[in-house]
Amino acid sequence: MEKLPEFSLKRFYWKDYLIIALGTFMYALGVTQFIMPHQFVMGGLAGAAVLLNYAFGLPVSLMVFVMNALLLLAAFKVLGTDFLVKTIVGVSMLSAFLGMFESFHWEPIMMDEPIMAGLIGSIVAGSGVGLVMSVNGSSGGTDIVVLIINKYRNITPGRTMLFVDLVIIASSFLIFKSVETIVFGIIIIAVMATSVDWVLNGIRQSVQFFIFSSRYDEIATQINLQLHRGCTVLDGVGWYSQKPQKVLLVMAKRNESTSIFRLVKQIDGNAFISQSNVVGVYGQGFDRMK
């Protein structure tokens, strides 16, 4: 059996699917328990399925599964098999969770506060979508439509997704004959989009450290060994003392900040540390970053 390369992500696969399961669970929870009981509309393929439920009483879980299956058949020829694996898992899990919540027939949540329920549902559902996307997964729906259109037309995915969502929400007028419903739908997709960005930015955000210490070699070694982070040693000069000074540059995840601070202070209590947020990390040289 051929040995997998050192940079293979196969050993992390199970974590990806756990996160997809959690994300689709949250999405289904927000839609069925907070948004649907108050007959709010939303974007995406799930929004189209919800409209069909309002109009004809069709199960949301069944419609999501059927419509996604048709889109996946089209995507198989256009986008290839690599994209389909996690999408099929995401669609199956979302359909299963939607069906599970529909079968419970629980009492509607926060019936006296419909706007608050809609906002909470949007945050929960949007956060779930963000979790799925954080591992390059997909819950199907308009994601597939956007990627297919983007492959053949020079249109940004954001504009395409916004157009599709607005068409779905505007279609609710045929059922409810209410402009107010459309306004609430626009608010819901805006809150969901914000929640998606919030989750993705929070998970992927990196921090940058500049560490000034005479024991830089020990600090760098321990950061390598204990935190599995690479360090870059820079040459500097202290202008006040006119003496050469080594500076450590470290890139890490935001949730590792406390560990780095504690490790540095254990080695050199007088070390000077500067931390700043990083918008993006690109290029090579980060092979030890997990």
Side-chain angles (χ1 to χ4, degrees), residues 152-267:
Y152 296 105
R153 293 289 183 271
N154 188 23
I155 305 174
T156 63
R159 289 184 180 180
T160 308
M161 188 171 293
L162 178 61
F163 176 76
V164 173
D165 286 346
L166 289 176
V167 169
I168 293 173
I169 290 175
S171 300
S172 67
F173 188 81
L174 300 175
I175 300 175
F176 298 106
K177 309 296 182 182
S178 170
V179 175
E180 187 179 68
T181 301
I182 297 177
V183 173
F184 281 138
I186 294 174
I187 293 173
I188 285 176
I189 63 172
V191 174
M192 285 187 64
T194 302
S195 300
V196 170
D197 290 340
W198 178 75
V199 171
L200 288 176
N201 292 335
I203 290 175
R204 295 176 177 176
Q205 189 178 50
S206 299
V207 290
Q208 176 179 276
F209 289 92
F210 284 107
I211 303 172
F212 301 80
S213 171
S214 59
R215 303 176 65 179
Y216 67 90
D217 50 347
E218 297 177 57
I219 294 173
T221 299
Q222 293 305 314
I223 289 177
N224 279 166
L225 294 177
Q226 297 192 42
L227 299 177
H228 307 291
R229 291 296 170 198
C231 300
T232 301
V233 182
L234 307 177
D235 290 320
V237 176
W239 197 248
Y240 179 78
S241 64
Q242 296 295 311
K243 294 181 179 179
Q245 172 72 57
K246 297 293 186 180
V247 182
L248 286 181
L249 170 62
V250 183
M251 303 293 296
K253 293 180 181 177
R254 186 174 58 178
N255 58 6
E256 295 173 325
S257 300
T258 302
S259 299
I260 291 176
F261 272 109
R262 289 175 178 172
L263 184 59
V264 172
K265 288 301 181 181
Q266 285 177 7
I267 298 173

Side-chain angles (χ1 to χ4, degrees), residues 49-149:
V50 169
L51 285 179
L52 292 174
N53 175 267
Y54 294 158
F56 307 109
L58 299 173
V60 176
S61 55
L62 177 62
M63 296 312 301
V64 167
F65 183 82
V66 171
M67 288 189 288
N68 272 302
L70 295 176
L71 286 175
L72 285 171
L73 288 176
F76 177 76
K77 296 181 179 180
V78 177
L79 302 176
T81 57
D82 292 339
F83 169 79
L84 293 183
V85 177
K86 288 183 180 178
T87 301
I88 291 174
V89 173
V91 169
S92 301
M93 288 183 175
L94 178 60
S95 300
F97 286 132
L98 286 170
M100 179 185 72
F101 283 119
E102 285 181 319
S103 66
F104 287 162
H105 300 293
W106 287 340
E107 288 294 323
I109 298 174
M110 302 179 68
M111 286 302 294
D112 297 331
E113 298 287 345
I115 296 179
M116 186 62 67
L119 292 176
I120 293 175
S122 303
I123 293 172
V124 173
S127 299
V129 174
L131 285 175
V132 174
M133 294 178 67
S134 71
V135 292
N136 296 321
S138 170
S139 57
T142 52
D143 295 355
I144 302 174
V145 177
V146 168
L147 289 173
I148 292 175
I149 294 176

